Amino acid sequence: MNPPAPLLSVIVPAHQGAGLLPVTLGALTASEFPRDRWELIVVDDASADDTAAVASRWADRVLTLPGRPHGPGFSRNRGAEQSRGEWLVFIDADVRVHPDTLSRFAAAIAAEPGMDAVFGAYDKAPPAPGFLSQYRNLLHRYVHLQSAGETDTFWAGCGAIRRSAFCAVGGFHEARYPRPQIEDIELGYRLRDQGYRIQIRPEIQGAHLKRWSVGGSFRTDLLDRGIPWVRLLLERNRLARPANLNLKRGEPLKAGLVATGLLGILFAAMTGRWPVLIGAGVLLAAVVLSNHRLIRWFAQQRGVWFAIRVIPLNLCYYLISGAAVLAGMALHLLHGRPRVTPPAPAAPREAAPDRVGFGSHGPG
């Protein structure tokens, strides 16, 4: 006889996660939410280290995917297929939840019966040292704080979806996004297309353990998020339509002002036309002043000197965003829509087997 289905199925995709999982899975199992009301499923995405063995110490079920890495979308879909909960909670392998994270998911679900998906935010104390890592992780938190409430996208770093809604839209688009990109954003759009409600609840928190590098930041912003997101928005005729997360009204204009200002500085340096330099400085200053709330927030979190150093990174963000728009538009004109079949609706599973074909480990 199968035990009663839990409310939450927590799914953690992991690739080469042996070093992080003791921290992140340990935090999950220390949750204050009653253990009989949630299950923990870890999907080992073809790791070459001891990810599966480490995960088996905490997880109720470990799925080991063979061959080459398949990406987080594929991994989360496989975990969802083997889950039993009414709600699917996706937690990234580098996110350390708070003791009340799962309880807050459950409270949000109980408070909003008509809600179909909800996600939280990073907390205000990212453990990775260094200015860049602190900036990146805190910026993510700021964006979610400013956008709390109803939204039209999704975040799988610390987010939950009603199983029936997840199955109705076919889950993550694993064929289109075989590596970490914007698979959760695209899923959120499909959820909203079918009338499902999504909310941002910043009180649901976790600490992001990622240590950022300059190269990794550039690659993520341009190649993994910027260009794919622009192409997705163009396909959906949404590039010029403001949204409440990341694509707020006025952001494209700021990207244009930054690009114009930097080109003006370069032109002035080459020609000695200092009035052009002054004009370029005015454009950049206008963008900085328009983001005074962001800069003031960073000053409150980490001090004035930290906030001052945020300014050039903020300008670089707009420059990369502008490059992503140009590259995304060019690729859209050249290739059009990607020739990938969209996910088909999946029938919800009533129960999962105790062991699965990919390879399974019981709780440790």
Side-chain angles (χ1 to χ4, degrees):
M1 181 177 178
N2 290 325
L7 174 66
L8 308 177
S9 291
V10 180
I11 299 169
V12 179
H15 175 68
Q16 306 293 84
L20 282 175
L21 290 181
V23 176
T24 55
L25 298 186
L28 274 166
T29 54
S31 296
E32 63 185 33
F33 193 59
R35 191 62 178 88
D36 61 348
R37 298 195 64 198
W38 63 282
E39 63 177 351
L40 176 57
I41 300 172
V42 177
V43 184
D44 171 18
D45 188 11
S47 299
D49 63 5
D50 293 329
T51 291
V54 171
S56 67
R57 302 175 195 167
W58 290 275
D60 299 306
R61 187 175 292 107
V62 178
L63 311 181
T64 302
L65 306 182
R68 58 174 178 77
H70 301 75
F74 185 97
S75 300
R76 294 183 190 117
N77 284 348
R78 301 294 80 74
E81 289 170 357
Q82 300 301 324
S83 64
R84 300 185 300 121
E86 179 184 351
W87 281 75
L88 308 175
V89 178
F90 299 104
I91 303 292
D92 278 350
D94 61 358
V95 172
R96 184 183 64 207
V97 300
H98 290 194
D100 64 355
T101 300
L102 297 185
S103 297
R104 288 185 180 274
F105 271 123
I109 291 167
E112 292 278 354
M115 180 179 63
D116 301 290
V118 58
F119 59 92
Y122 291 144
D123 66 18
K124 63 180 180 180
F131 169 71
L132 182 61
S133 294
Q134 291 286 305
Y135 163 73
R136 295 280 309 199
N137 294 327
L138 285 170
L139 178 62
H140 190 282
R141 171 172 175 77
Y142 174 83
V143 171
H144 285 218
L145 286 172
Q146 297 302 306
S147 305
E150 295 279 337
T151 188
D152 61 355
T153 186
F154 184 67
W155 177 51
C158 184
I161 305 178
R162 191 186 303 273
R163 169 189 291 279
S164 57
F166 184 83
C167 292
V169 301
F172 291 94
H173 201 324
E174 60 189 52
R176 180 169 184 176
Y177 301 109
R179 60 189 180 89
Q181 288 188 307
I182 58 166
E183 68 281 349
D184 47 2
I185 295 171
E186 191 271 344
L187 171 61
Y189 288 163
R190 282 188 282 115
L191 286 167
R192 283 304 297 264
D193 285 348
Q194 296 197 25
Y196 294 109
R197 291 180 55 208
I198 310 170
Q199 288 191 0
I200 304 176
R201 294 287 190 94
E203 70 273 15
I204 302 173
Q205 297 179 35
H208 196 203
L209 307 183
K210 183 168 183 174
R211 187 188 298 262
W212 286 93
S213 66
V214 174
S217 298
F218 178 81
R219 183 170 56 252
T220 296
D221 287 345
L222 182 64
L223 301 180
D224 294 337
R225 295 184 65 81
I227 294 174
W229 202 343
V230 169
R231 294 193 68 186
L232 180 63
L233 291 171
L234 287 169
E235 293 164 20
R236 302 173 66 85
N237 298 315
R238 292 186 49 157
L239 186 60
R241 191 193 315 172
N244 72 328
L245 186 68
N246 293 101
L247 199 65
K248 294 181 181 296
R249 190 182 303 276
E251 293 298 288
L253 174 61
K254 293 178 187 179
L257 291 177
V258 170
T260 303
L262 293 177
L263 287 173
I265 291 174
L266 181 61
F267 179 78
M270 295 174 61
T271 64
R273 297 185 180 180
W274 304 119
V276 176
L277 179 62
I278 294 172
V282 169
L283 294 180
L284 297 180
V287 174
V288 172
L289 289 174
S290 71
N291 288 336
H292 66 277
R293 291 181 180 176
L294 167 68
I295 296 167
R296 184 170 64 246
W297 183 83
F298 271 109
Q300 293 168 348
Q301 301 300 312
R302 291 294 186 272
V304 174
W305 175 234
F306 190 101
I308 291 173
R309 289 183 290 166
V310 163
I311 293 173
L313 290 183
N314 187 233
L315 295 177
C316 286
Y317 161 77
Y318 286 114
L319 190 62
I320 294 172
S321 297
V325 170
L326 294 177
M329 292 177 68
L331 290 171
H332 182 74
L333 290 172
L334 287 172
H335 303 294
R337 290 176 176 268
R339 297 186 179 93
V340 180
T341 303
R349 294 175 62 96
E350 295 184 0
D354 291 334
R355 301 184 69 84
V356 298
F358 290 107
S360 175
H361 303 262

